């Protein structure tokens, strides 16, 4: 079991200053929440610390700043009764102890001053209600009214009060419960898990931005499938990402079935997790097959097909990003690109790997070709050991070919050896269809390996084609 006094662990200089500031203001203060939880679990120290004062959190923050050598700027949020300052590389947030009440159409509470116990009552989970005293008479003592220390030991996510009240008051806590279960490897208490299912529709009052913040944290875990299975089990996923749950339908016609693309997708996300911390590449893994549900068809000759699912999936990515208020910038375009190209290396690895096919792959993927290969290797979920080895071996061949072709032909950031402006000058032509034909022909000849990616070869090729097109060089 864990200790009861953590005074020796509170060795961050800020705690000494907060304690002194509290004495001078004659208010009690405590460090509470995630910092305490992670301190007890001996996880990496958080870069943000929450301080609760039984009095004015803003006044305490100002006093702390006054006592610190460089007097850091205090950001004050009067509407919330909170203040924040930065000390070194750590954000310190101060709040006055409070009690809260909620209205059904909002997760923003009505707030009034309260005691430390009131403040602990309003916390989302018992493991986040743990507080350490910063007061001289009991400095470092653990205050644990809900036996959160036992829940830490038992690896349990549990609400301090009735879970129906906790989750209905602030539905974002349902996603936080699942996120903490994923991050910490904990289990959500049965009653709490059932309460999430009962209150799932309350998630509709939460903004897309807040939902995405939690989804990103789940995707960033070592095994994202844990969180997504809990989202599915509680029916939250159906409300947040119905395109994903639509994949959990396996049909059989005339003895032909297809794989369950929902569970396959979760495997792919788990497979990619050890190989990248890029949350957008993990999003691509999560969404790479979403076009399969709407494109699924059966015919006697081929069985089940999903023709064009990558193209449709790319279009669906934009709609999902818009709905969830994900960034509609290069990050979205990257995910779209990965989804639309997700089968290309797989198809390539199943055939004879030609230089021209690899050139086209590198040309289309550009700087993202390595990310695409990481995604496609994660997509290998076969349980057949021989097939697994064969597919990975073939991918190694594709990787070697990419290196060879790129060193020789330089198509990753393709710049035509002859620009459109040069072509116009050479033939004294304005922008026209003929210029486009010549540019495209040069590009295709390079990608097909007919000519090297060099100026002289491109010029010679262009002049031959121009003769056939009856274009004359300007005098």
């Amino acid at each position: 079991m864990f200790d009861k006094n953590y005074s020796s662990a509170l060795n961050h200089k800020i705690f000494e200053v907060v304690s002194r500031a509290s004495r001078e203001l004659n208010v009690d203060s405590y460090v509470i929440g995630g910092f305490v939880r992670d301190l007890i679990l001996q996880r990496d120290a958080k870069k943000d610390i929450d301080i609760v004062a039984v009095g004015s959190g803003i006044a305490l923050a100002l006093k702390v700043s006054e006592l610190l050598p460089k007097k850091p700027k205090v950001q004050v949020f009067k509407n919330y009764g909170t203040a924040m300052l930065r000390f070194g590389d750590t954000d310190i947030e101060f709040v006055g102890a409070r009690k809260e009440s909620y209205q059904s159409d909002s997760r923003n509470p009505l707030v009034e001053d309260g005691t430390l116990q009131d403040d602990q009552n309003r916390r989302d989970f018992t493991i986040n209600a743990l507080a350490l005293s910063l007061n001289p008479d009991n400095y470092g003592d653990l205050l644990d009214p809900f036996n959160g220390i036992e829940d830490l030991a038992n690896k349990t996510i549990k609400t301090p009060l009735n879970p129906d009240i906790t989750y209905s008051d602030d539905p974002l806590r349902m996603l936080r419960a699942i996120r903490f279960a994923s991050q910490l490897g904990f289990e959500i208490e049965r009653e709490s898990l059932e309460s999430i299912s009962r209150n799932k529709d309350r998630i509709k009052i939460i903004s897309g931005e807040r939902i995405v913040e939690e989804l990103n944290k789940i995707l960033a875990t070592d095994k994202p499938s844990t969180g997504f299975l809990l989202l599915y089990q509680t029916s939250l996923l159906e409300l947040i990402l119905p395109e994903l749950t639509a994949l959990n339908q396996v049909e059989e016609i005339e003895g032909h079935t297809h794989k369950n693309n929902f569970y396959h997708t979760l495997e792919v996300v788990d497979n990619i997790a050890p190989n990248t911390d890029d949350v957008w590449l993990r999003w691509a893994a999560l969404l790479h097959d979403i076009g399969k549900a709407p494109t699924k068809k059966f015919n006697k000759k081929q069985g089940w097909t999903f023709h064009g699912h990558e193209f449709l999936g790319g279009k669906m990515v934009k709609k999902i990003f818009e709905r969830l208020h994900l960034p509609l910038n290069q990050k979205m375009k990257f995910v779209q690109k990965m989804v639309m190209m997700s089968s290309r290396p797989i198809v390539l690895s199943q055939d004879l790997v030609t230089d021209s096919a690899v050139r086209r792959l590198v040309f289309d993927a550009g700087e993202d070709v390595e990310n695409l290969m990481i995604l496609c290797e994660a997509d290998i979920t076969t349980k057949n050991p021989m097939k697994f080895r064969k597919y990975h071996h073939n991918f190694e061949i594709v990787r070697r070919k990419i290196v060879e072709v790129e060193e020789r032909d330089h198509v990753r950031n393709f710049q035509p050896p002859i620009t459109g402006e040069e072509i116009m000058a050479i033939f004294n032509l304005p922008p026209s269809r003929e210029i486009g034909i010549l540019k495209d022909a040069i590009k295709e000849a390079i990608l097909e390996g007919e000519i090297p990616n060099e100026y002289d070869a491109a010029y010679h090729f262009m002049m031959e084609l121009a003769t056939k097109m009856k274009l004359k060089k300007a005098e």
Side-chain angles (χ1 to χ4, degrees):
M1 192 53 80
F2 303 106
D3 292 335
K4 291 293 182 183
N5 183 277
Y6 295 86
S7 53
S8 61
L10 295 177
N11 52 17
H12 198 300
K13 183 183 177 182
I14 195 68
F15 297 125
E16 176 191 325
V17 177
V18 172
S19 183
R20 180 182 158 196
S22 301
R23 282 198 309 274
E24 292 190 17
L25 292 175
N26 198 29
V27 299
D28 287 342
S29 65
Y30 306 85
V31 58
I32 195 167
F35 178 88
V36 180
R37 178 197 68 227
D38 290 346
L39 176 71
I40 294 169
L41 288 176
Q42 298 182 331
R43 295 180 83 222
D44 289 342
K46 288 171 69 69
K47 294 298 182 184
D48 53 273
I49 296 172
D50 293 326
I51 305 290
V52 62
V54 184
S56 170
I58 294 173
L60 181 58
L62 293 169
K63 175 58 76 172
V64 168
S65 173
E66 184 185 310
L67 295 175
L68 285 169
K70 294 185 179 178
K71 297 185 173 39
K73 182 181 177 183
V74 177
Q75 287 180 279
V76 174
F77 308 95
K78 281 188 179 177
N79 290 347
Y80 299 98
T82 63
M84 182 183 290
L85 61 82
R86 189 162 182 81
F87 180 69
D89 61 352
T90 304
D91 290 322
I92 320 292
E93 183 166 354
F94 298 81
V95 63
R98 61 196 192 187
K99 50 185 175 182
E100 301 174 339
S101 57
Y102 289 80
Q103 296 174 316
S104 62
D105 61 345
S106 173
R107 64 177 290 263
N108 295 322
L110 301 171
V111 176
E112 54 184 301
D113 292 342
T115 64
L116 174 67
Q117 189 166 354
D118 289 328
D119 203 86
Q120 288 175 299
N121 286 345
R122 74 179 181 84
R123 299 282 160 171
D124 49 9
F125 309 113
T126 60
I127 60 172
N128 290 337
L130 298 163
L132 293 177
S133 172
L134 298 178
N135 306 307
D137 55 341
N138 60 349
Y139 189 86
D141 276 5
L142 181 68
L143 292 97
D144 179 19
F146 306 110
N147 214 10
I149 200 81
E150 187 173 311
D151 291 332
L152 278 181
N154 295 330
K155 298 189 172 183
T156 301
I157 305 291
K158 187 177 177 182
T159 60
L161 306 176
N162 181 329
D164 283 334
I165 295 172
T166 298
Y167 294 135
S168 181
D169 279 351
D170 183 355
L172 187 66
R173 290 168 176 165
M174 298 188 289
L175 292 182
R176 284 171 58 83
I178 290 170
R179 187 249 293 180
F180 281 123
S182 303
Q183 284 181 328
L184 301 174
F186 282 23
E187 285 192 13
I188 301 174
E189 178 214 24
R190 184 180 60 80
E191 175 58 26
S192 195
L193 193 63
E194 290 172 358
S195 177
I196 293 175
S197 296
R198 286 194 297 271
N199 289 280
K200 64 183 184 299
D201 288 318
R202 292 282 291 148
I203 202 69
K204 292 172 184 175
I205 72 167
I206 303 298
S207 70
E209 291 90 344
R210 298 308 299 271
I211 289 172
V212 162
E213 191 178 333
E214 295 302 323
L215 290 181
N216 283 344
K217 289 175 181 177
I218 292 170
L219 272 173
T221 60
D222 292 339
K223 192 179 179 186
S225 65
T226 300
F228 282 95
L229 284 170
L230 285 168
L231 288 170
Y232 179 73
Q233 182 184 342
T234 55
S235 298
L236 281 171
L237 194 61
E238 175 67 29
L239 297 172
I240 297 169
L241 273 174
E243 298 87 350
L244 205 55
T245 57
L247 297 175
N248 193 17
Q249 296 175 8
V250 177
E251 296 181 61
E252 181 175 344
I253 296 179
E254 298 180 9
H256 293 271
T257 60
H258 57 83
K259 71 182 174 187
N260 186 309
N261 287 303
F262 174 71
Y263 289 100
H264 161 74
T265 293
L266 296 189
E267 270 194 86
V268 174
V269 179
D270 282 352
N271 284 348
I272 208 169
N275 299 315
T276 181
D277 292 328
D278 184 347
V279 73
W280 304 109
L281 187 52
R282 293 187 182 203
W283 267 105
L286 186 70
L287 302 179
H288 82 283
D289 268 351
I290 52 170
K292 282 193 170 178
T295 58
K296 182 170 64 174
K297 286 191 173 112
F298 178 83
N299 66 62
K300 292 184 179 181
K301 209 170 191 181
Q302 295 176 289
W304 290 102
T305 64
F306 306 92
H307 294 313
H309 76 271
E310 304 96 336
F311 177 74
L312 181 60
K315 292 174 74 174
M316 292 168 72
V317 165
K318 185 177 182 187
K319 291 179 181 176
I320 290 169
F321 270 53
E322 287 173 340
R323 188 180 72 238
L324 292 178
H325 299 168
L326 280 152
L328 302 177
N329 54 19
Q330 288 305 117
K331 294 180 174 69
M332 181 200 73
K333 289 178 181 175
F334 169 77
V335 176
Q336 275 189 309
K337 182 180 182 180
M338 292 296 100
V339 170
M340 292 177 85
M341 294 190 70
S342 59
S343 294
R344 287 273 295 276
I346 294 170
V347 172
L348 195 61
S349 70
Q350 292 168 349
D351 298 325
L352 182 64
V353 186
T354 64
D355 284 6
S356 62
V358 171
R359 264 191 297 272
R360 288 192 176 279
L361 176 71
V362 176
F363 174 77
D364 291 338
E367 282 300 308
D368 298 317
V369 69
E370 176 58 25
N371 284 323
L372 182 61
M373 293 300 293
I374 291 170
L375 172 59
C376 291
E377 285 176 326
D379 203 4
I380 302 169
T381 60
T382 178
K383 300 301 178 285
N384 182 315
M386 286 184 63
K387 282 186 177 180
F388 185 86
R389 284 195 298 272
K390 177 187 171 187
Y391 291 152
H392 276 279
H393 173 68
N394 288 354
F395 269 115
E396 280 305 311
I397 295 172
V398 174
R399 281 183 179 278
R400 285 200 298 271
K401 277 280 189 183
I402 287 172
V403 173
E404 290 170 16
V405 165
E406 177 57 21
E407 285 179 353
R408 186 177 64 241
D409 300 325
H410 312 293
V411 293
R412 184 172 299 212
N413 288 308
F414 183 79
Q415 297 294 328
I418 303 177
T419 66
E421 289 77 11
E422 286 178 283
I423 297 171
M424 286 190 285
I426 289 166
F427 296 103
N428 193 25
L429 287 172
S432 58
R433 179 172 167 272
E434 287 79 8
I435 303 300
I437 289 171
L438 289 170
K439 274 186 69 179
D440 286 344
I442 293 168
K443 181 191 80 176
E444 288 298 314
I446 291 169
L447 292 179
E448 284 299 318
E450 295 171 21
I451 61 172
N453 188 4
E454 297 169 0
Y455 183 88
D456 288 346
Y459 182 86
H460 181 69
F461 174 85
M462 176 188 69
M463 295 309 295
E464 284 187 352
L465 180 56
T467 301
K468 293 175 186 174
M469 293 171 62
K470 298 184 179 175
L471 295 176
K472 290 186 179 179
K473 185 177 177 184
E475 295 299 326

